[in-house]
Amino acid sequence: MTVNLVIGTQWGDEGKGKVVDYFSKDADYVVRFQGGNNAGHTIKVGDEVYKLHLIPSGVIQGKTGIIGNGVVIDPEVLIAEIDELKSRGIVPKLLISDRANIIMPYHKILDGAEENSLGDKKIGTTKRGIGPCYSDKIARKGIRAIDLTDKNTLSRRLDELIPQKQRILNLYKINEKLDKEEILETYSGFGNCLKKYIVPTHVEINKAISSGKHVLFEGAQGTMLDVDFGTYPYTTSSHTVAGGACIGAGIGPQHIDDIIGIVKAYTTRVGGGPLPTELLDKTGTHLQTKGGEFGATTGRPRRCGWLDLVVVNHSCKISGINKLAITKLDVLDGLKTVKICTKYKLKNKEIDYFPASIEDVENCKPVYKEFKGWNEISKKSNKLSDLPKEAREYLKFIEKELKIPISIVSIGPGRKETIDV
Ligand code: GDP
Ligand code: IMO
Ligand code: MG
């Protein structure tokens, strides 16, 4: 029995799609447990590139994908994603939790309205309705996957909810009339389409675990976007940390064997909020161009900076990470020097923890250790010993600082461009 968990340790886009695809070769089930189609996970197989938003990355390897109860689902997006995969010759094996909350049209409208009302303090959300849907879930005003499969239940829920939502839209002065009958027809249609996948997935997952199957959990976003441990309020609305998998899939923590933290060899972030190691100079632009740092969901440019080990250490502690996967090491090729932030300077004091106050984070000045750069990582070898000496030193420093072993190093987007340490 092996139950592993892969999560992002930074602000998302660490390469979870690539790493999950790589580990999926040994998996029976791959499970998403939080987030929604704010995620964009890229998998490159030969010349084919897949960008998945809701369907777990393991389906590309032919494994069963499970969308757990902690995910928020936009059914229209999910159906389009299934159809797109089918058109490319992949019929995804899929299970959807009956308890997962559904993103409704008013969630998407409200996401935009709330962002507009924040002016220059806006979060920079993906405007996919994620925050408003999670808010409704916690406020017990959500619609769940199971509700879509019964038109009478859905009709009753909409009778309760639509007038409330209409009042909120009116408060925001949004000229939009929510048409209950139209929403009912559309969403029960989605329910009919998805009915065959909707099951109590927590039962399936626990059965799989006790029968010795290999289950791989695929995190979305990253620790610094976690609603408790990230740069709040500049975060997403779910638990992106390892603990989120237990709640978002319905398993006990004792079942998890390895918790693999993905660390991009530098740092990126999309949207607003502080980024202590951000580079606003030509090195930042260089990383953005060379790393292709443009959002897989919204296409927005990602802000770039040096690797921040205060951030990664914070993530490792919160999630109990016991293995590291370093990605995009090749993007640092050709730089004369590379830097790693090991501490922050805040009000003339050195600190090694990530502060809770957003004002403190904004005032943190990174303290760097500088490394000699390297020319080019050869894509022809996937042996650690064939990496340039300077690149090995860079990796060794990360391991030593975090006291966690590196289990894989990714040196390109493709499946084969992976060093299994
Ligand atoms: P995710 O959200 O964590 O799955 O990451 P994204 O897919 O949003 O962004 C990662 C991007 O980097 C994608 O375009 C990947 O194809 C690419 N990528 C992943 N690993 C590597 C790597 O080791 N080197 C390079 N050059 N690109 C990589
Ligand atoms: P993956 O899984 C990077 C960011 C948004 C915004 C904040 C809140 O591909 O790593 P939301 O729409 O969730 O309310 O937006 O979170 N964000 C991501 N950034 N990668 C992601 O997912 C993200 N999902 C959300 O840019 O700053
Ligand atoms: Mg992404």
Side-chain angles (χ1 to χ4, degrees):
M1 175 192 91
T2 320
V3 179
N4 291 340
L5 173 52
V6 171
I7 49 171
T9 63
Q10 294 150 316
W11 277 273
D13 304 324
E14 296 89 351
K16 295 175 293 290
K18 143 109 201 208
V19 172
V20 168
D21 171 72
Y22 182 78
F23 285 127
S24 290
K25 61 182 186 296
D26 303 319
D28 297 297
Y29 295 91
V30 180
V31 186
R32 277 277 307 268
F33 55 87
Q34 46 71 230
N37 61 314
N38 49 350
H41 295 182
T42 315
I43 300 128
K44 188 168 182 285
V45 190
D47 292 333
E48 291 289 314
V49 176
Y50 302 91
K51 287 188 190 297
L52 298 179
H53 302 286
L54 271 166
I55 298 182
S57 300
V59 300
I60 306 299
Q61 293 256 25
K63 307 307 165 92
T64 301
I66 298 185
I67 299 179
N69 52 280
V71 175
V72 287
I73 300 174
D74 185 328
E76 191 176 2
V77 171
L78 178 56
I79 291 165
E81 203 163 292
I82 296 170
D83 288 345
E84 204 218 314
L85 282 177
K86 282 184 180 163
S87 75
R88 297 177 69 180
I90 295 174
V91 181
K93 286 187 262 170
L94 202 61
L95 299 173
I96 301 169
S97 170
D98 47 8
R99 287 157 167 84
N101 271 248
I102 299 297
I103 297 179
M104 300 298 288
Y106 45 79
H107 292 139
K108 291 183 263 192
I109 301 171
L110 281 170
D111 198 348
E114 283 168 10
E115 280 285 272
N116 289 341
S117 75
L118 288 171
D120 63 0
K121 292 268 181 292
K122 72 170 189 238
I123 295 164
T125 74
T126 58
K127 298 198 178 161
R128 300 299 192 260
I130 306 292
C133 184
Y134 275 117
S135 303
D136 269 359
K137 170 180 173 169
I138 300 302
R140 295 152 297 181
K141 293 185 194 306
I143 286 175
R144 309 204 292 179
I146 193 74
D147 303 330
L148 296 188
T149 65
D150 183 285
K151 203 169 178 181
N152 289 331
T153 310
L154 183 61
S155 176
R156 251 185 292 116
R157 288 295 281 153
L158 289 176
D159 281 335
E160 290 156 28
L161 295 169
I162 297 267
Q164 296 176 18
K165 298 301 169 191
Q166 188 66 62
R167 279 199 295 278
I168 299 172
L169 294 192
N170 297 346
L171 274 177
Y172 276 115
K173 300 195 167 41
I174 293 168
N175 190 16
E176 188 99 33
K177 170 97 184 63
L178 298 174
D179 182 333
K180 186 228 154 177
E181 289 309 320
E182 191 188 320
I183 295 175
L184 177 63
E185 283 312 311
T186 308
Y187 280 71
S188 61
F190 293 150
N192 280 335
C193 196
L194 295 173
K195 206 174 198 155
K196 63 174 184 249
Y197 304 114
I198 299 174
V199 295
T201 50
H202 58 289
V203 175
E204 291 294 323
I205 298 169
N206 280 290
K207 229 190 272 171
I209 292 174
S210 48
S211 63
K213 295 274 199 283
H214 187 140
V215 184
L216 181 62
F217 288 90
E218 173 178 1
Q221 291 85 50
T223 307
M224 302 317 287
L225 292 171
D226 181 274
V227 68
D228 279 320
F229 293 105
T231 41
Y232 189 86
Y234 296 94
T235 60
T236 191
S237 302
S238 68
H239 291 294
T240 63
V241 297
C246 295
I247 300 170
I251 60 151
Q254 79 278 20
H255 293 306
I256 303 171
D257 297 307
D258 284 334
I259 302 173
I260 301 147
I262 310 195
V263 183
K264 196 186 277 194
Y266 49 98
T267 310
T268 63
R269 159 162 222 176
V270 205
L275 179 59
T277 62
E278 183 164 16
L279 291 166
L280 296 164
D281 57 6
K282 64 179 196 311
T283 311
T285 314
H286 169 82
L287 292 174
Q288 190 183 71
T289 312
K290 185 138 198 269
E293 296 297 355
F294 297 90
T297 295
T298 57
R300 290 176 293 174
R302 297 173 182 153
R303 299 152 64 192
C304 296
W306 295 120
L307 176 61
D308 185 339
L309 287 187
V310 180
V311 161
V312 179
N313 188 41
H314 171 78
S315 302
C316 290
K317 293 290 182 307
I318 289 158
S319 287
I321 287 168
N322 67 329
K323 284 184 179 166
L324 302 172
I326 310 292
T327 57
K328 304 193 89 161
L329 187 64
D330 55 299
V331 176
L332 298 179
D333 282 3
L335 291 168
K336 235 193 192 113
T337 51
V338 279
K339 294 185 191 177
I340 294 182
C341 165
T342 55
K343 288 190 186 83
Y344 298 145
K345 206 160 198 177
L346 176 65
K347 297 175 191 145
N348 288 323
K349 261 176 66 186
E350 281 196 348
I351 60 165
D352 61 1
Y353 61 88
F354 201 87
S357 144
I358 214 77
E359 285 75 23
D360 280 351
V361 177
E362 272 159 359
N363 287 318
C364 278
K365 298 273 170 290
V367 177
Y368 288 115
K369 171 142 174 77
E370 205 169 296
F371 296 80
K372 193 165 174 279
W374 54 89
N375 282 335
E376 203 182 334
I377 291 173
S378 161
K379 302 281 177 81
K380 292 206 183 86
S381 162
N382 44 16
K383 280 209 229 113
L384 192 68
S385 54
D386 287 339
L387 283 179
K389 181 169 116 298
E390 296 82 3
R392 275 183 283 133
E393 304 256 305
Y394 188 78
L395 295 176
K396 220 184 282 166
F397 183 79
I398 298 172
E399 266 189 332
K400 198 175 101 241
E401 283 288 296
L402 299 173
K403 299 183 188 70
I404 301 170
I406 293 172
S407 82
I408 65 164
V409 181
S410 173
I411 52 168
R415 240 179 225 168
K416 289 188 182 138
E417 293 157 325
T418 312
I419 300 172
D420 203 327
V421 182

